[in-house]
């Protein structure tokens, strides 16, 4: 009859120590990955605000809208020059966006005549020239009803 091998306390310390080391290495790897993401630019469309108003042109009441789009670098590193795309009523406007330092924002103003409700879309870094920590937060859409 064979005896069952039992682990001694020193064997258990070795196993626990090895598991602890592996766990600590994984935690360190995750922390280093997160640190890399934090030390990058991150462009977002912070907000899109608008003001609708009426004017009389040639004895006709016409609705206009002023749209302000704010693009912000919410990352911790500068974001190089890029392009912000504004899209409304089948009109696409690509606007130069200057280099934005960490937490710096830049405003775009768009004024136009508005006759029908529509979506207004803005996309920061539309051509993906800025290597960002989060590439999936560059878009925002609002609905403008064109009723002043």
């Amino acid at each position: 009859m064979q005896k069952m091998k039992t682990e001694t306390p020193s064997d258990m310390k070795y196993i626990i120590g090895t598991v602890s080391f592996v766990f600590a290495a994984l935690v360190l790897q995750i922390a280093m990955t997160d640190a890399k993401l934090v030390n990058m630019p991150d462009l977002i469309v912070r907000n899109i605000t608008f003001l609708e108003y009426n004017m009389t042109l040639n004895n006709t009441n016409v609705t206009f809208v002023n749209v302000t789009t704010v693009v912000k670098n919410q990352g911790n590193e500068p974001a190089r020059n890029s392009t912000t795309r504004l899209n409304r009523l089948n009109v696409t406007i690509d606007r130069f966006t200057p280099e934005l330092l960490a937490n710096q924002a830049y405003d775009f103003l768009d004024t136009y005549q508005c006759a029908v409700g529509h979506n207004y879309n803005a996309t920061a870094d539309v051509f993906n020239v800025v290597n960002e920590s989060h590439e999936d937060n560059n878009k925002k859409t609002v609905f403008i009803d064109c009723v002043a």
Side-chain angles (χ1 to χ4, degrees):
M1 189 166 161
Q2 288 185 335
K3 283 187 171 182
M4 288 183 65
K5 181 179 178 187
T6 57
E7 294 177 355
T8 64
S10 63
D11 291 338
M12 290 301 289
K13 286 180 187 176
Y14 174 77
I15 292 169
I16 291 171
T18 302
V19 170
S20 297
F21 176 77
V22 170
F23 180 74
L26 288 173
V27 169
L28 180 61
Q29 180 65 36
I30 291 168
M32 289 174 61
T33 301
D34 286 346
K36 288 178 189 172
L37 293 179
V38 171
N39 291 323
M40 295 176 74
D42 184 21
L43 294 173
I44 62 167
V45 176
R46 182 175 178 197
N47 58 31
I48 301 172
T49 57
F50 58 93
L51 172 67
E52 299 165 292
Y53 59 96
N54 289 323
M55 291 182 64
T56 302
L57 296 174
N58 299 324
N59 296 323
T60 303
N61 195 25
V62 179
T63 301
F64 284 86
V65 62
N66 288 339
V67 180
T68 302
T69 302
V70 179
V71 173
K72 180 180 179 183
N73 177 9
Q74 69 178 7
N76 290 333
E77 293 291 326
R80 62 184 252 189
N81 298 342
S82 62
T83 302
T84 297
R85 176 166 287 168
L86 310 175
N87 187 281
R88 44 113 172 135
L89 295 169
N90 296 321
V91 174
T92 299
I93 306 164
D94 287 343
R95 296 275 179 91
F96 171 80
T97 308
E99 177 180 352
L100 297 176
L101 301 178
N103 292 309
Q104 186 178 15
Y106 190 81
D107 297 359
F108 298 94
L109 180 62
D110 186 15
T111 301
Y112 56 96
Q113 186 175 338
C114 182
V116 62
H118 61 281
N119 284 329
Y120 190 98
N121 307 296
T123 305
D125 189 26
V126 70
F127 299 116
N128 292 316
V129 297
V130 178
N131 186 21
E132 301 176 61
S133 59
H134 298 94
E135 294 285 356
D136 58 349
N137 61 353
N138 293 11
K139 296 180 182 183
K140 189 171 284 261
T141 300
V142 297
F143 182 78
I144 299 176
D145 60 12
C146 295
V147 178

